[in-house]
Amino acid sequence: MLKKIGVITRDCAGVNAALRALVRTAASHGLEVAGILKGYDGLIDGNLVVLDRRSVSGIINLGGTILKSARSERFFTESGQQQALNTIREQKLDGLVVIGGNGSLSGAHLLATKYGIRVMGIPATIDNDVNGVDFCLGADTAVNVALDALDKIRDTATSLERIFVIEVMGRDCGYLAMKVALAGGCEDVLLPEHDFSLEEICREIEEGNARGKVSWIVIVAEGRASAREVAATITGLTGLETRIAVLGHIQRGGRPTAFDRILAAKLGNAAVEYLIAGETDKCVSLKNDRIELVPLETAIRPKKLKFESEYRLLKLLS
Ligand code: F6P
């Protein structure tokens, strides 16, 4: 029977809401929860705090993670792993919940397969690139945050009849870029998953302007190109003035949307229930409004998304 579990987090919107759900579900089973501070570094250094029902009050609406986070180089060394194991033994952790993206879930998979630690993942990344998982925590909020910024930029684009190139995050995945572009009514989007021709885009701009079109917004996924280079090329080919905006980390922060909070409640709850039921080396995922388990071995493989039909729709409507 499980008595105490640990939880490690990365940062994005919805992580605190998931912590709240996880801690309160655990409490309802009389299960203790230890919050591991600063990601895997905290596991190595034995940096843990007690999380009880009250300690997760008032955090459902907070962005980031109250446990803080870090990219740990040490955890990928043998000595770092041994120190992490010592903490797990000393603190008598019977299992771990890991909330994060591919890097965090890879760490969880390693602990399960190499050391037999019982682990359960909760996919959380604005990139939405966890394989086999439709919705990662934080992605919906990131789309909405980027969309809000884009709407504001559109005011200037329209008023001054300008071309804007906006770069969004997402690492090697075009999910965030595609959704923002479609929701924002953008003229084009450059994705890691698709080929594109800047010459063709420039031709469209010139033809559109000749028809009386006055402003253009092109979204660039960071994994495909840089806004600066794309804008410079457009100016070079058309002679038209361009402006850029690199949205950066504002997309990772902020208050979680209702969608992310509800997802967090369901995933946080399910992660604990499945750990108690004896599951390990998997992550929880929402599919057709039901919780499914995805093996971590599958989850950490590169995700191949296709955006052809959404891209066609964007072009038709722009
Ligand atoms: O994986 C989430 C993400 O925000 C990516 O979209 C981005 O490329 C990366 O992390 C930025 O990493 P860091 O915060 O370490 O600069």
Side-chain angles (χ1 to χ4, degrees), residues 71 125-127 169-171 222 249 252:
R71 290 200 196 281
T125 165
I126 64 167
D127 305 341
M169 277 186 164
R171 214 179 280 277
E222 67 170 358
H249 286 82
R252 209 157 91 195

Short mmCIF file of all heavy atoms in Angstrom, two decimals, residues 71 125-127 169-171 222 249 252, ligand 1:
data_model
loop_
_atom_site.label_atom_id
_atom_site.label_comp_id
_atom_site.label_asym_id
_atom_site.label_seq_id
_atom_site.Cartn_x
_atom_site.Cartn_y
_atom_site.Cartn_z
N ARG A 71 15.99 22.97 -15.34
CA ARG A 71 16.44 21.90 -16.24
C ARG A 71 17.66 21.29 -15.58
O ARG A 71 18.67 21.96 -15.40
CB ARG A 71 16.84 22.48 -17.60
CG ARG A 71 15.67 22.97 -18.41
CD ARG A 71 16.02 23.07 -19.89
NE ARG A 71 15.05 23.89 -20.61
CZ ARG A 71 13.85 23.46 -21.00
NH1 ARG A 71 13.47 22.22 -20.75
NH2 ARG A 71 13.02 24.26 -21.65
N THR A 125 2.99 20.88 -21.18
CA THR A 125 3.91 21.70 -21.98
C THR A 125 3.13 22.52 -22.99
O THR A 125 2.21 22.00 -23.64
CB THR A 125 4.98 20.86 -22.72
OG1 THR A 125 5.59 21.69 -23.72
CG2 THR A 125 4.42 19.63 -23.41
N ILE A 126 3.54 23.78 -23.14
CA ILE A 126 2.84 24.63 -24.12
C ILE A 126 3.06 24.12 -25.53
O ILE A 126 2.32 24.47 -26.44
CB ILE A 126 3.28 26.10 -24.02
CG1 ILE A 126 4.76 26.28 -24.37
CG2 ILE A 126 2.97 26.66 -22.65
CD1 ILE A 126 5.15 27.74 -24.59
N ASP A 127 4.10 23.30 -25.74
CA ASP A 127 4.40 22.80 -27.09
C ASP A 127 3.35 21.77 -27.56
O ASP A 127 3.22 21.52 -28.75
CB ASP A 127 5.79 22.15 -27.13
CG ASP A 127 6.87 23.09 -26.61
OD1 ASP A 127 6.62 24.31 -26.59
OD2 ASP A 127 7.95 22.61 -26.23
N MET A 169 6.34 30.33 -29.74
CA MET A 169 7.13 29.20 -29.24
C MET A 169 6.57 27.87 -29.73
O MET A 169 5.66 27.84 -30.55
CB MET A 169 7.16 29.22 -27.71
CG MET A 169 8.20 30.14 -27.14
SD MET A 169 8.23 29.93 -25.35
CE MET A 169 9.79 30.69 -24.98
N GLY A 170 7.08 26.79 -29.18
CA GLY A 170 6.59 25.47 -29.55
C GLY A 170 7.70 24.48 -29.83
O GLY A 170 7.44 23.35 -30.26
N ARG A 171 8.93 24.93 -29.67
CA ARG A 171 10.10 24.09 -29.96
C ARG A 171 9.99 23.53 -31.38
O ARG A 171 9.82 24.33 -32.30
CB ARG A 171 10.21 22.96 -28.92
CG ARG A 171 11.65 22.60 -28.60
CD ARG A 171 11.70 21.51 -27.57
NE ARG A 171 11.51 22.03 -26.23
CZ ARG A 171 12.47 22.56 -25.50
NH1 ARG A 171 13.69 22.60 -25.95
NH2 ARG A 171 12.24 22.99 -24.29
N GLU A 222 8.77 28.98 -33.91
CA GLU A 222 10.20 29.14 -33.62
C GLU A 222 11.03 27.98 -34.15
O GLU A 222 12.21 28.14 -34.45
CB GLU A 222 10.43 29.31 -32.12
CG GLU A 222 10.09 28.06 -31.30
CD GLU A 222 10.53 28.14 -29.84
OE1 GLU A 222 11.14 29.13 -29.43
OE2 GLU A 222 10.24 27.17 -29.11
N HIS A 249 8.44 34.04 -23.74
CA HIS A 249 7.94 33.36 -22.55
C HIS A 249 6.60 33.87 -22.03
O HIS A 249 6.04 33.23 -21.13
CB HIS A 249 8.98 33.42 -21.44
CG HIS A 249 10.14 32.49 -21.69
ND1 HIS A 249 11.18 32.83 -22.50
CD2 HIS A 249 10.38 31.24 -21.26
CE1 HIS A 249 12.04 31.82 -22.56
NE2 HIS A 249 11.58 30.84 -21.82
N ARG A 252 4.17 31.12 -21.92
CA ARG A 252 4.25 30.01 -20.95
C ARG A 252 3.62 30.39 -19.61
O ARG A 252 3.31 29.52 -18.79
CB ARG A 252 5.71 29.60 -20.78
CG ARG A 252 5.84 28.14 -20.42
CD ARG A 252 7.18 27.61 -20.79
NE ARG A 252 8.15 27.73 -19.73
CZ ARG A 252 9.47 27.61 -19.93
NH1 ARG A 252 9.93 27.38 -21.14
NH2 ARG A 252 10.30 27.71 -18.94
O1 F6P B 1 9.10 23.51 -23.98
C1 F6P B 1 8.51 24.69 -23.62
C2 F6P B 1 9.30 25.86 -24.16
O2 F6P B 1 8.70 27.07 -23.72
C3 F6P B 1 9.47 25.88 -25.69
O3 F6P B 1 8.33 26.32 -26.37
C4 F6P B 1 10.67 26.78 -25.84
O4 F6P B 1 11.38 26.49 -27.03
C5 F6P B 1 11.50 26.40 -24.63
O5 F6P B 1 10.63 25.83 -23.67
C6 F6P B 1 12.24 27.55 -24.01
O6 F6P B 1 13.05 27.02 -23.02
P1 F6P B 1 13.71 27.88 -21.86
O7 F6P B 1 12.61 28.38 -20.97
O8 F6P B 1 14.62 26.96 -21.16
O9 F6P B 1 14.40 29.02 -22.55
#
